[in-house]
Amino acid sequence: MLKTSIPFNNFASGQIDRELKGRYDIPLYQHGHEISENFCETVKGTAFYRTGFKFIDEIGDAALYEFKFNQEQSYLLVFKIMHIEFWTYDIDGNFVQVLDDDGDILKVEHPYGTEVKNLCLAQNCDVMYITHLYGNYAERQLKRTAANKFELKETTFVNTGTASLSNNPSTNHGCPCTCSFYENRLDRCSSTKYYTYLYGSKGATYDNITVGTGTNDGFQFDLAEANSKALWLVSGANSLLVGTAEGVLTINGGGVDKAITPSDITAKLSCRDGCAAVQPLRKDNFIFYVSANGRKLFMFEYDVLLEQFKATNLSKGNYEITKGGITKLVYKSDQYDFMYGVCDGKLLQICFSNDESVNAWSVIKTKGNFKDICTVTRPDGNYDLFAKIKREINGITRYYLEQLTDTVEFPRVEEFVSDFKSTTKESDILKIKNDDEYAFYRTVVETLKKCNFLDCSIEYSGYHNSLLQFSEEENTLTCVDEIFSITDVGRRIWVKPTTGREYGIFDIEEFISTTKVKVKINQKPHYHLINEWYLSATVFSGLEHLEGETVSVVGNGGYVGDFKVENGKIDISSANTNKVGTAVIGLKYKGILKSPNLGMALQTGTTFTSMKNIYSVILKMSFSAGGKVGDSLYTLEDVQDFNPDGLFDSPPLPMDSDKEVLINGTSEKDKHYFVVQDKPLPFSLAMVVPKYTHITRD
């Protein structure tokens, strides 16, 4: 019997297919997991517990699209059955519903009814062209006329020539089914009699489809090689791409360096992998599209060396994860640059980097079904991901608009090291060190308050920035504003640690006036004037959307417990930790990582088929709280001891180091480690080192 430890320090393959169980010789196996659920793998090779989805609104069975006017002002279009509603960011960065001049919700009527999910969009500045995938509706233009004003009207084609395209669904010529801007033209395809035709508008005159012979004239071109109708159009880096059930056509002026004109246009079926009617996306100068059966994701590119286009299947080792078919695909530009796909009620997350040879797939699940997704550009240039989620709430089917919350960046301990002279006494250095550590601790706790790891959640903050003055002689707090009431007796006040050096905790014992209360001092404040502070709460309302459900509460950055929503609210006063100044309230979800079968290749054979038993696991973590690890989902050991050991009234400091957990496992030939996060707290892995015994000879 031999003892072995193998470090897993790169998770950049994500969840891999079970068919790869025997391919321990390839990097895909070595860097992958058999299960990656609600964990996110990154280009760096780390894996972290995904953040939660914040509740925005109940929207019914609507469809989601983005209208991007400019980087500073983008809108989420919510196409309901009869009208469009609009959401955007206000001056403070809050995501809000757009109101008209009368203060009512801005609504623009549309004719699409329940077919709002079958729209194709192309936008130029303040005008968005809208076509219907099956040509059942005339092409329309959604125009932004002011920050809170939009109008929708039919496109009136200018056609003084022989173009076959019309904008009437009852004619043989039909309406455009898809459109895209390319080389200063708006290109369209029809869905009816002339479904193999590509129509290009005049240059910079997008409603004029007159066919001519001049360089900027419109054109009509038969895509006969496709032999099927266009499902999407998208502008590539050097060609116009048309997706059909037969494959992808590349259209240019006879070469990738030649512009399209009425007299110079060629179409070539460059890839014979058929497409689904899922709008492709651009990322890193590549086009990503979904196969006809919805199971494969292709990366389409131009190979300069081969001087030809090619499509690479990114799902070869992750085919199982796409069961049910991908129906929507979006890209979220931020520090991680993930792609997301809706697939059979779940959300697929793809971390892809061609430069780093990373192609990691993972599954996001929630208590409900993902039905639609959309990204919207924030004023800071990053993207937000929004999802329409179908949930069964108290026996009622509801469709909610929810927003994926941001990951939070924690501080470095070195940032809090104070300067001191070389002549400073050792005892004084120790005091400085303790003060620095407490400042760091307070800042970490303050950072934890910004984390959200609950779905369908709401966030509460008792934050105030009204100046308080503390009287040590009277044990009172006096506010410059009328803040207090008689019902505040028993509530707690915390000083907000803006830099980590501020502190102070009080319990309100007596109401004196709306500006003054008598307090019990739990922690003497650093200064008698307090600029920023939190006021506790134990009852939280605004939970009507989760009526009858059991929700979890994270208060002041620590897990408080689970409570049932009644009459749209919860009361946490029964919990041991019953005073919180900030709270996140929502539905829990579980994160699971399951490793491939443990083993190694030896000169005399392999240990992948020998009996093995895990006796401990070392986890290298970054700012992680909670977590479990084991060799089975039935025998999991806690990673973190949750007995507070630090500042008064604060959650335990997240682990930012290695932690070894002893495992009482059993011997098996097929042996795995499991990492589980079942608490709504951050958890980030850089390395997992299972220690196990194995028998080299059966």
Side-chain angles (χ1 to χ4, degrees):
M1 182 178 292
L2 298 176
K3 289 186 176 181
T4 304
S5 62
I6 300 178
F8 290 81
N9 63 349
N10 184 352
F11 312 119
S13 292
Q15 180 169 314
I16 58 177
D17 289 346
R18 288 171 291 180
E19 290 180 342
L20 294 170
K21 280 187 175 183
R23 294 306 310 275
Y24 58 83
D25 58 317
I26 61 175
L28 189 65
Y29 180 94
Q30 298 162 7
H31 303 155
H33 282 100
E34 287 195 11
I35 297 175
S36 177
E37 184 176 306
N38 286 324
F39 271 92
C40 309
E41 289 80 14
T42 72
V43 172
K44 301 172 185 176
T46 59
F48 66 87
Y49 186 53
R50 63 99 169 166
T51 56
F53 280 88
K54 181 170 63 176
F55 174 76
I56 301 296
D57 195 17
E58 184 171 3
I59 59 172
D61 195 8
L64 309 179
Y65 302 97
E66 181 188 20
F67 186 104
K68 185 176 180 180
F69 176 60
N70 54 37
Q71 182 171 306
E72 288 72 36
Q73 194 159 32
S74 294
Y75 299 83
L76 176 67
L77 307 181
V78 179
F79 273 76
K80 296 189 174 182
I81 301 301
M82 301 298 293
H83 64 268
I84 311 168
E85 295 182 7
F86 304 79
W87 293 76
T88 192
Y89 301 90
D90 65 16
I91 193 171
D92 297 318
N94 301 311
F95 194 68
V96 297
Q97 198 158 19
V98 178
L99 306 179
D100 61 22
D101 290 340
D102 296 325
D104 299 321
I105 295 173
L106 177 64
K107 298 179 181 180
V108 174
E109 293 185 359
H110 68 74
Y112 305 110
T114 58
E115 294 191 62
V116 290
K117 306 175 187 66
N118 298 318
L119 304 181
C120 300
L121 315 176
Q123 188 175 348
N124 180 266
C125 296
D126 58 355
V127 179
M128 173 179 281
Y129 289 80
I130 304 175
T131 63
H132 185 263
L133 180 62
Y134 305 108
N136 297 338
Y137 299 88
E139 177 185 288
R140 285 174 166 77
Q141 299 174 25
L142 180 65
K143 185 175 183 180
R144 176 188 181 275
T145 58
N148 66 338
K149 291 182 181 179
F150 287 78
E151 61 181 26
L152 184 67
K153 65 177 183 179
E154 280 192 25
T155 300
T156 302
F157 288 151
V158 177
N159 180 14
T160 59
T162 59
S164 302
L165 186 65
S166 71
N167 202 23
N168 186 341
S170 63
T171 65
N172 287 335
H173 304 300
C175 301
C177 67
T178 185
C179 59
S180 178
F181 286 97
Y182 183 68
E183 292 183 338
N184 205 30
R185 284 189 174 91
L186 180 59
D187 299 297
R188 302 170 172 94
C189 284
S190 176
S191 63
T192 52
K193 181 177 179 180
Y194 296 92
Y195 64 81
T196 63
Y197 274 58
L198 174 70
Y199 306 88
S201 73
K202 286 179 66 70
T205 312
Y206 308 124
D207 300 348
N208 192 327
I209 59 172
T210 301
V211 175
T213 57
T215 301
N216 288 322
D217 284 342
F219 63 82
Q220 178 174 301
F221 186 76
D222 190 355
L223 306 174
E225 191 175 358
N227 198 31
S228 59
K229 86 181 197 72
L231 300 172
W232 48 260
L233 293 175
V234 66
S235 59
N238 46 27
S239 293
L240 177 66
L241 307 182
V242 181
T244 74
E246 301 295 321
V248 179
L249 290 96
T250 55
I251 302 171
N252 49 52
V256 294
D257 57 346
K258 296 182 179 180
I260 297 173
T261 69
S263 57
D264 293 303
I265 180 170
T266 61
K268 182 179 180 180
L269 192 60
S270 299
C271 169
R272 295 188 179 274
D273 294 296
C275 308
V278 177
Q279 187 67 23
L281 60 83
R282 300 182 189 87
K283 180 183 182 295
D284 301 337
N285 293 321
F286 303 117
I287 300 296
F288 297 84
Y289 73 91
V290 179
S291 66
N293 66 355
R295 299 296 301 273
K296 303 174 186 177
L297 179 65
F298 285 99
M299 179 184 72
F300 195 78
E301 61 178 321
Y302 181 73
D303 192 312
V304 178
L305 295 178
L306 298 176
E307 294 185 342
Q308 66 183 27
F309 290 91
K310 65 177 183 179
T312 303
N313 180 7
L314 302 180
S315 312
K316 288 181 179 179
N318 319 87
Y319 191 76
E320 284 184 349
I321 207 171
T322 62
K323 184 178 180 180
I326 300 172
T327 56
K328 185 77 175 280
L329 196 64
V330 301
Y331 163 55
K332 185 176 185 289
S333 175
D334 56 17
Q335 60 178 320
Y336 300 112
D337 286 345
F338 292 143
M339 294 183 286
Y340 294 90
V342 176
C343 182
D344 195 29
K346 56 187 181 291
L347 196 60
L348 304 184
Q349 181 174 265
I350 307 111
C351 176
F352 176 82
S353 172
N354 196 53
D355 294 338
E356 303 294 336
S357 300
V358 172
N359 179 31
W361 294 62
S362 56
V363 179
I364 292 177
K365 292 184 178 180
T366 187
K367 188 179 179 182
N369 292 304
F370 290 93
K371 306 301 289 185
D372 195 4
I373 52 176
C374 182
T375 54
V376 178
T377 310
R378 292 198 311 225
D380 64 5
N382 288 323
Y383 288 26
D384 276 325
L385 176 70
F386 296 90
K388 180 185 73 175
I389 303 178
K390 179 182 178 182
R391 300 189 185 276
E392 297 295 325
I393 304 297
N394 207 18
I396 301 173
T397 299
R398 293 182 170 179
Y399 294 89
Y400 289 156
L401 175 65
E402 300 182 33
Q403 176 185 354
L404 183 66
T405 57
D406 289 337
T407 55
V408 172
E409 297 181 54
F410 285 88
R412 290 180 177 271
V413 65
E414 292 79 9
E415 298 171 2
F416 294 83
V417 176
S418 298
D419 294 330
F420 55 88
K421 298 179 180 179
S422 58
T423 57
T424 304
K425 296 180 180 179
E426 187 174 344
S427 58
D428 292 334
I429 293 176
L430 182 60
K431 182 180 183 305
I432 292 172
K433 181 175 181 293
N434 288 336
D435 290 343
D436 291 346
E437 288 178 349
Y438 282 139
F440 171 68
Y441 196 159
R442 294 186 193 98
T443 305
V444 169
V445 172
E446 193 66 19
T447 305
L448 282 171
K449 295 176 183 179
K450 303 174 185 177
C451 296
N452 185 331
F453 294 94
L454 291 168
D455 285 346
C456 205
S457 57
I458 65 168
E459 299 174 356
Y460 163 82
S461 177
Y463 171 79
H464 293 273
N465 60 358
S466 297
L467 183 65
L468 287 177
Q469 183 169 0
F470 170 63
S471 170
E472 192 170 356
E473 294 77 17
E474 299 179 350
N475 284 354
T476 59
L477 288 173
T478 303
C479 186
V480 296
D481 298 313
E482 294 185 353
I483 295 288
F484 302 115
S485 69
I486 188 66
T487 59
D488 289 336
V489 174
R491 299 176 77 177
R492 181 164 292 173
I493 290 175
W494 297 266
V495 175
K496 176 180 169 63
T498 306
T499 67
R501 308 288 175 178
E502 304 84 3
Y503 49 86
I505 303 175
F506 313 90
D507 283 337
I508 299 176
E509 290 188 321
E510 180 183 340
F511 172 76
I512 299 174
S513 71
T514 56
T515 60
K516 190 174 183 178
V517 290
K518 188 173 183 180
V519 296
K520 172 188 174 184
I521 305 169
N522 295 309
Q523 184 184 65
K524 187 177 178 180
H526 71 291
Y527 193 60
H528 285 193
L529 292 178
I530 301 166
N531 294 307
E532 297 178 276
W533 48 283
Y534 295 101
L535 181 63
S536 75
T538 56
V539 177
F540 303 96
S541 57
L543 291 163
E544 289 80 6
H545 65 289
L546 290 173
E547 181 66 35
E549 297 294 314
T550 297
V551 296
S552 297
V553 178
V554 175
N556 289 0
Y559 178 50
V560 176
D562 299 334
F563 306 87
K564 187 174 182 179
V565 178
E566 297 179 349
N567 298 319
K569 60 185 178 181
I570 58 170
D571 187 343
I572 68 168
S573 58
S574 60
N576 291 330
T577 305
N578 58 11
K579 294 181 179 180
V580 298
T582 65
V584 180
I585 306 163
L587 303 174
K588 273 198 296 191
Y589 49 89
K590 183 185 291 186
I592 302 174
L593 292 175
K594 177 187 178 183
S595 75
N597 182 30
L598 302 179
M600 68 176 69
L602 301 175
Q603 196 169 16
T604 57
T606 174
T607 66
F608 286 95
T609 57
S610 64
M611 297 292 287
K612 298 174 285 289
N613 184 22
I614 301 175
Y615 61 88
S616 79
V617 177
I618 299 175
L619 304 172
K620 183 178 284 294
M621 296 166 291
S622 174
F623 287 101
S624 300
K628 297 178 184 292
V629 66
D631 65 350
S632 164
L633 290 175
Y634 298 98
T635 54
L636 295 170
E637 303 291 337
D638 288 329
V639 176
Q640 186 180 29
D641 181 2
F642 272 92
N643 291 325
D645 183 20
L647 297 177
F648 173 76
D649 208 31
S650 296
L653 191 68
M655 300 167 286
D656 191 31
S657 59
D658 298 350
K659 177 70 179 290
E660 183 169 5
V661 181
L662 299 180
I663 305 297
N664 185 20
T666 57
S667 294
E668 299 168 293
K669 288 186 176 181
D670 201 19
K671 202 66 180 175
H672 311 263
Y673 70 74
F674 289 82
V675 177
V676 173
Q677 175 63 310
D678 58 0
K679 290 184 172 62
L681 300 170
F683 200 88
S684 180
L685 281 175
M687 183 167 64
V688 179
V689 185
K691 294 183 177 182
Y692 60 95
T693 59
H694 64 87
I695 302 173
T696 57
R697 195 179 307 167
D698 289 337

